[in-house]
Amino acid sequence: MSGPTADLFADAALQQPGGREQIGEESYVLRGYALPWIERLLPELRRVLAQSPFRQMVTPGGFTMSAALSSCGDLGWTTDTRGYRYSPLDPRNQQPWPAMPDALRQLAVSAATEAGFSDFLPDACLINRYVPGAKMSLHQDKNERCYSAPVVSVSLGLPATFLFGGHQRADKPQKVSLFHGDVVVWGGVDRLRFHGVMPIKEGEHPVMGPQRINLTFRTAG
Ligand code: SIN
Ligand code: FE2
């Protein structure tokens, strides 16, 4: 089969839960991969956020990020006017970040394995909350000590258009639609590719409400 009909079939297959869509040499979207974990994951996420609530942070350039952040795990990614870095303490209260709940870690390790990265040992889970209009500009994840581990990104709530670029900021990014339960894994030769999120559209998600929450797992230390 070829032509537009074949493309339609290909897209439908790729978007089904369980579908694995390759977006780079060592990068995959695992459609709906987080769905079987959601019931365990949400109460744990709520506990984490009760201890370290979402807050908006300022970039070194002095801009307030539109996404609000929290973290769990041994290290949490933070930004302020002094720079981007990982810290073992939540700057809000100088207490350790909440521990990474088992369900979150297991989901991340399992998704990484599915994408060809066994032995993933995440020590940082950044939690981003996007309300409609919030976005994430193109950037590379490069505050981690070493890049041999992949990035595992779990999407919850409102859909998003994920921008998956190249190794230069100017490389034209692919647009990848991400839905509740989708997991993206990028690593190896793709580990330092630029990526971002287009402004989230207005909406109400039946489980998560009017927001998108993204969890990104990394080995930072
Ligand atoms: C990030 O790059 O930290 C977040 C990506 C996303 O929200 O999908
Ligand atoms: Fe990132």
Side-chain angles (χ1 to χ4, degrees):
M1 208 166 19
S2 65
T5 315
D7 291 347
L8 266 179
F9 276 105
D11 282 352
L14 292 170
Q15 305 256 337
Q16 268 166 20
R20 193 172 95 148
E21 183 179 338
Q22 190 163 12
I23 57 169
E25 208 175 312
E26 292 184 88
S27 310
Y28 295 90
V29 179
L30 309 175
R31 294 288 175 198
Y33 194 83
L35 292 176
W37 264 273
I38 299 273
E39 243 176 84
R40 269 180 73 199
L41 188 150
L42 290 183
E44 293 188 335
L45 193 56
R46 248 177 252 123
R47 275 195 289 278
V48 164
L49 292 168
Q51 198 178 323
S52 282
F54 285 122
R55 79 296 302 266
Q56 280 177 287
M57 290 188 186
V58 176
T59 65
F63 294 101
T64 300
M65 293 179 68
S66 59
L69 319 183
S70 182
S71 277
C72 62
D74 292 344
L75 292 168
W77 185 85
T78 66
T79 173
D80 59 23
T81 50
R82 290 178 299 143
Y84 302 126
R85 63 193 164 277
Y86 279 95
S87 165
L89 304 180
D90 179 345
R92 182 178 153 272
N93 56 8
Q94 298 301 321
Q95 296 297 306
W97 294 103
M100 191 185 298
D102 287 343
L104 271 66
R105 182 190 306 276
Q106 286 164 17
L107 165 59
V109 169
S110 172
T113 304
E114 187 72 22
F117 300 96
S118 46
D119 308 321
F120 182 42
L121 286 173
D123 57 11
C125 171
L126 172 64
I127 310 165
N128 287 302
R129 174 181 194 254
Y130 302 79
V131 293
K135 65 179 176 66
M136 183 81 66
S137 305
L138 277 181
H139 65 278
Q140 292 169 294
D141 287 1
K142 35 180 224 184
N143 300 123
E144 297 72 29
R145 188 166 302 190
C146 120
Y147 304 135
S148 56
V151 177
V152 174
S153 157
V154 177
S155 289
L156 302 172
L158 290 177
T161 303
F162 180 65
L163 299 172
F164 195 52
H167 284 92
Q168 308 296 325
R169 187 179 291 279
D171 293 342
K172 189 175 155 56
Q174 299 174 56
K175 288 184 176 172
V176 182
S177 296
L178 295 181
F179 303 95
H180 183 67
D182 287 349
V183 179
V184 187
V185 182
W186 65 95
V189 296
D190 295 325
R191 174 63 179 73
L192 288 176
R193 284 174 68 164
F194 279 87
H195 58 278
V197 177
M198 291 194 33
I200 300 296
K201 296 201 177 97
E202 291 289 339
E204 175 80 26
H205 187 271
V207 178
M208 305 301 292
Q211 60 177 346
R212 169 175 187 260
I213 291 181
N214 176 263
L215 313 172
T216 38
F217 298 85
R218 305 182 184 86
T219 305

